[in-house]
């Protein structure tokens, strides 16, 4: 495997690990007492889920403290989940919106249009059209604005109960609140608190707290928001206002993972049934549901060996497994295990929003598998 190919593969290995995150500031929450009619938690939940067609324009601040390591190929993701991010958003619908990430250097914009997606970089004054479909991609700022994050969480575990929280004044709106507490003790997510406009269901603030933690590890909140339809000109990519327009194919995860190890995976691991195959990720196993999901990714021997060695040097915890070796990596909410068994013939990455005992049990059961040699 070439150095370039190795870097590309390792980058896409992290796609699988990061994708299982539910996703995630010091925020300006007024300390003034608030009051007002608050819908029941179940009613508010439904209004939030039904708010996808509510237009808005706003300014969002997010802060993540997940502690992801800084990686050159994943700097946007690590800064998003392990730092503060300022975001401007104009939203008309799921296929007509714009998200700007603002930093000290300038801004990077993503335009979603009915005909495709465009990105604009302020520093280079370059507009790029993303050509093709992107069924699996890295998390980005638009995924963490309160409306998107809230609806994603509430959709993942629709059976988990919610209770009402006291109202809060957020971006000038008296917001009704609810708390979702996952009932499955295996998930590392302790609770998700959401505040929304009680009239429209538009989510205004989301806090995600790890199990046993005193403070949220991910906060996303509107600092300013207007519930208006953004102007068409704002949602149009600046095709005529840039120095150049380029075209790039959508990241081809399928191709990047196409030469990974192919090993048969069981119908059940650690007491969880295998779910349908992930779109765009053939051969990747997905177990559990909602906030208790974990994925199993077969790796080529050389990539797995390199990943285990690198993780060990970085302080990962060594584990003993039958006919092999494994290392465990933990950051807030995310558990990652790398395992090599069968005298190095089979290597796996197991990652999810589950506690270490779940991935350790999965590793034990994987090590006991006796199947055909990997397909190269």
């Amino acid at each position: 495997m070439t150095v370039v190919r190795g870097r590309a593969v390792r980058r896409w290995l992290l796609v699988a690990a990061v994708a299982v995150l539910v996703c995630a500031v010091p925020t300006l929450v007024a300390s003034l007492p608030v009051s007002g009619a608050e819908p029941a938690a179940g009613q508010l939940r439904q209004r939030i889920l039904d708010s996808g067609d509510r237009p808005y324009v706003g300014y969002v601040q997010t802060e993540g403290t997940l502690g992801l390591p800084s990686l050159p190929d994943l700097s946007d993701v690590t800064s998003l989940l392990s730092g503060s991010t300022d975001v401007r958003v104009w939203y008309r619908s799921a296929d007509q919106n714009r998200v700007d990430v603002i930093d000290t250097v300038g801004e990077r914009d993503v335009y979603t249009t009915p005909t495709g997606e465009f990105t604009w970089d302020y520093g280079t004054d370059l507009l790029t059209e993303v050509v093709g479909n992107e069924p699996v991609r890295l998390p980005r700022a638009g995924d963490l604005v309160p409306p998107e994050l809230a609806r994603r969480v509430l959709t993942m575990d629709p059976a988990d109960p919610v209770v009402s929280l006291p109202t809060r004044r957020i971006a000038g709106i008296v917001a009704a609140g609810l708390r979702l507490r996952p009932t499955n003790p295996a998930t590392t997510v302790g609770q998700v608190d959401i505040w929304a406009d009680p009239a429209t269901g538009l989510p205004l603030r989301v806090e995600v707290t790890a199990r046993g933690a005193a403070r949220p590890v991910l906060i996303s909140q509107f600092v300013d928001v207007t519930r208006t339809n953004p102007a068409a000109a704002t949602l149009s990519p600046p095709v005529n206002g840039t120095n150049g327009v380029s075209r790039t194919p959508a990241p081809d995860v399928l191709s990047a993972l196409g030469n990974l190890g192919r090993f048969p995976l069981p119908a059940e691991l650690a007491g969880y049934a295998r779910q349908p195959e992930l779109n765009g990720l053939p051969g990747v196993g997905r177990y559990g549901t909602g906030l208790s999901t974990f994925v199993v990714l077969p790796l080529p021997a050389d990539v797995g060996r390199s990943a285990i060695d690198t993780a060990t040097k970085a302080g990962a915890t060594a584990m003993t497994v039958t006919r092999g070796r494994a290392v465990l990596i933990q950051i807030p909410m995310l558990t990652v295990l790398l395992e090599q068994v069968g005298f190095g013939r089979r290597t796996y990455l197991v990652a999810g929003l589950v506690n270490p005992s779940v991935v350790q049990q999965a590793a034990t059961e994987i090590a006991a598998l006796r199947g055909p040699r990997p397909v190269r």
Side-chain angles (χ1 to χ4, degrees), residues 29-38 165-170 172-177 195:
V29 179
S31 58
L32 297 174
V34 295
S35 61
E38 178 185 0
L165 292 173
T167 55
R168 299 180 71 165
R169 190 181 301 277
I170 299 171
I173 299 171
V174 177
W195 283 268

Side-chain angles (χ1 to χ4, degrees), residues 97-109:
N97 58 80
R98 169 183 166 186
V99 177
D100 296 0
V101 176
I102 305 161
D103 55 30
T104 55
V105 188
E107 65 182 69
R108 297 176 305 280
D109 307 345

Side-chain angles (χ1 to χ4, degrees), residues 2 4-6 8 17 24 56 80 84 91 109 114 150 152 197 216 240 250 288 324:
T2 66
V4 173
R5 170 64 179 166
Y56 62 86
L80 182 64
S84 299
Y91 183 91
D109 307 345
R152 186 185 300 265
D197 180 350
N240 298 322

